[in-house]
Amino acid sequence: MKKRDLAAIGFMTFALFLGAGNLIFPPLMAQQAGDYWLIAIAGFLLTAVGLPALTIIVLGQLSSAEKLTSALPTWMNRTFWFLVLTTLGPAFVLPRAVTVAYEMGIKPFTDANLLLPFSILFCFITLLLALKPGKLLDYIGKVMTPTLIAMLTLLVVAALVNPLGTSLPATQDYLEQPIVNGLIQGYMTLDAIAAVAFGWVIINTIKSKGVTSKADLARYSKWIALIYVVLMSLCYLAMGYLGATSSTIAPNAANGGEILTRYAAGEFGYAGQLLLAGITLMACLTTTVGLTNANAEYYRNTYNVPFYRSVIIVTVLTAAVSNVGLEQIITVSLPAILILCPIAIALILSIIFLPKRAINAGLQSRVVIAATIFGSIDAFSVLDMIPAALNVRFNQWLPLYEYHLSWLIPVAILFVGLKITQRTQPTACAETV
């Protein structure tokens, strides 16, 4: 593969992950962390960037995204991918991306309610771009991403030259445990599960450049992950800096979007609002194209559904959900994503820590079941759906429960048990990966 193509795929990967939500998380966190914002961002980067990068590397070693779950029983395998791609697709993330694009990119400039025509137009553009998967690298990696980076750089350079305030005193949580709270906030971006979906797009793009051997796929995936880590880390640091220096322009902001909006207007006036609108629209569009493409790739590879048909169905559903009952859809879909995220991470860790001969249907199913049970507890805790008495018990008996990571220790114990089993019974499991 040419170095130019490798860089373009790395740029494309960065753009796929960089949705509007990724821009909004760090500024608010950095403002709340105050003088400790760099420590909080360090923790944030470990989970928000490290977990997706690890996923990209593992999927590259497997040479295809579907091999992540190929050892599972068919019903469990297909249920996992259906839930992942549906919730990251038309049931939740895609409509949210369209809505955020409208709220930050169009609504500030008009009093009229233009969500319906906007969502139709936005999804139509997504459809046109997604229908040409062979051109995905050209218009995202080589055109849209450099444009997005240029716009972000303009805003950040202006902030470095003319910061609009200094850091505020840290809130209590960040004063006591800045790095731990940063780790949790990074985990809650849920980009680890997005990486599983984007794996379909990234691996297929590498293969489209004539890369066929497993060794080359693994090697190029590592380079792409490195490019992604550098670009996304710089972006998060830049957004964090905006939040940390927003005390004058947006003190006690309700969310990161408010910080960015006021900062852009404070630096450039009306032109700043247009700049932020352009950044938001571009970031949301690259994400919607990538997720639509991932859905279509899966249904084509698994069920032989024509690619164009899947793209049309996904974009039509996205446009519809963007306008009808998004809040209700979020209420239903968010628990699913919060549960699926630990399952996805547990599957990735199983590939890393378990020997290949240990990964068969029975053993990997146990990993999924353990992650599902304890991930469900964490999900309902995040959503404040745990009864008070039970909440007290969980805090007492479940390690890391207060950090919404109670699934981690049971899964780790399971890995240790499986390793011990494999050492004592080395031929018990057949290699399936």
Side-chain angles (χ1 to χ4, degrees):
M1 186 191 302
K2 296 179 181 178
K3 290 182 179 180
R4 180 180 177 184
D5 288 332
L6 181 63
I9 298 175
F11 275 42
M12 181 193 76
T13 301
F14 163 71
L16 293 177
F17 282 97
L18 186 64
N22 301 82
L23 295 173
I24 291 172
F25 262 105
L28 183 62
M29 183 187 71
Q31 187 185 79
Q32 293 174 344
D35 294 333
Y36 298 96
W37 76 273
L38 277 174
I39 301 175
I41 283 288
F44 184 87
L45 293 179
L46 286 174
T47 46
V49 179
L51 288 176
L54 182 64
T55 301
I56 293 169
I57 292 171
V58 169
L59 293 179
Q61 291 174 340
L62 293 174
S63 74
S64 63
E66 58 263 42
K67 285 189 178 181
L68 178 65
T69 57
S70 60
L72 292 172
T74 300
W75 72 268
M76 190 179 288
N77 179 345
R78 294 191 174 182
T79 299
F80 171 78
W81 284 111
F82 173 79
L83 291 175
V84 166
L85 292 168
T86 300
T87 51
L88 289 177
F92 178 45
V93 174
L94 283 177
R96 186 185 67 175
V98 174
T99 304
V100 170
Y102 172 75
E103 292 288 336
M104 293 185 64
I106 302 298
K107 191 174 180 179
F109 305 99
T110 178
D111 294 327
N113 185 358
L114 301 176
L115 179 58
L116 177 59
F118 172 81
S119 61
I120 293 173
L121 177 61
F122 196 84
C123 288
F124 181 69
I125 295 172
T126 298
L127 183 149
L128 293 179
L129 296 177
L131 280 174
K132 298 179 179 179
K135 296 291 184 180
L136 205 63
L137 179 61
D138 292 331
Y139 53 70
I140 292 185
K142 297 179 180 178
V143 178
M144 296 171 72
T145 309
T147 303
L148 178 58
I149 291 174
M151 290 189 291
L152 285 169
T153 301
L154 180 60
L155 179 59
V156 173
V157 169
L160 289 170
V161 173
N162 180 37
L164 300 180
T166 56
S167 58
L168 296 165
T171 59
Q172 189 66 27
D173 288 343
Y174 288 98
L175 185 63
E176 294 178 351
Q177 296 178 312
I179 193 165
V180 171
N181 281 283
L183 285 165
I184 295 169
Q185 289 298 316
Y187 172 74
M188 292 304 294
T189 64
L190 304 177
D191 271 356
I193 191 172
V196 171
F198 286 139
W200 290 86
V201 180
I202 297 166
I203 299 301
N204 285 337
T205 304
I206 296 173
K207 290 179 178 178
S208 73
K209 293 301 173 183
V211 179
T212 55
S213 75
K214 288 187 177 181
D216 286 340
L217 276 167
R219 180 163 57 89
Y220 287 129
S221 295
K222 290 177 182 177
W223 280 107
I224 288 164
L226 178 61
I227 295 170
Y228 157 78
V229 167
V230 171
L231 291 176
M232 190 62 84
S233 297
L234 289 173
C235 179
Y236 281 147
L237 283 167
M239 294 301 103
Y241 176 79
L242 293 180
T245 58
S246 63
S247 58
T248 301
I249 199 71
N252 303 314
N255 54 67
E258 181 181 342
I259 293 174
L260 293 181
T261 300
R262 292 190 183 183
Y263 219 113
E267 292 287 2
F268 301 107
Y270 185 75
Q273 291 180 291
L274 291 174
L275 175 65
L276 183 61
I279 292 171
T280 303
L281 290 169
M282 190 73 73
C284 289
L285 184 59
T286 55
T287 299
T288 58
V289 172
L291 287 174
T292 300
N293 188 276
N295 271 267
E297 289 284 356
Y298 171 72
Y299 287 110
R300 177 172 63 182
N301 291 354
T302 306
Y303 300 102
N304 293 319
V305 178
F307 189 88
Y308 76 91
R309 187 178 299 171
S310 294
V311 170
I312 292 172
I313 292 172
V314 169
T315 50
V316 169
L317 287 174
T318 299
V321 175
S322 299
N323 287 273
V324 181
L326 182 58
E327 290 77 12
Q328 289 76 13
I329 294 294
I330 289 175
T331 301
V332 173
S333 300
L334 188 55
I337 290 185
L338 291 171
I339 295 169
L340 287 168
C341 192
I343 296 173
I345 296 173
L347 287 169
I348 293 294
L349 294 178
S350 73
I351 302 298
I352 297 172
F353 292 112
L354 294 180
K356 287 186 177 181
R357 65 178 182 274
I359 303 177
N360 68 8
L363 296 182
Q364 200 171 41
S365 295
R366 295 178 202 174
V367 173
V368 170
I369 291 170
T372 301
I373 292 172
F374 291 96
S376 298
I377 294 173
D378 288 329
F380 290 122
S381 173
V382 171
L383 299 169
D384 294 323
M385 296 174 65
I386 302 288
L390 195 56
N391 196 55
V392 172
R393 292 295 181 93
F394 284 154
N395 269 307
Q396 290 175 336
W397 297 104
L398 279 182
L400 303 180
Y401 172 75
E402 62 180 308
Y403 302 121
H404 313 304
L405 291 170
S406 61
W407 63 270
L408 188 57
I409 300 300
V411 168
I413 292 173
L414 182 59
F415 286 157
V416 172
L418 292 176
K419 279 211 167 202
I420 293 173
T421 301
Q422 289 310 301
R423 285 176 182 173
T424 57
Q425 298 177 340
T427 61
C429 300
E431 182 177 336
T432 59
V433 177

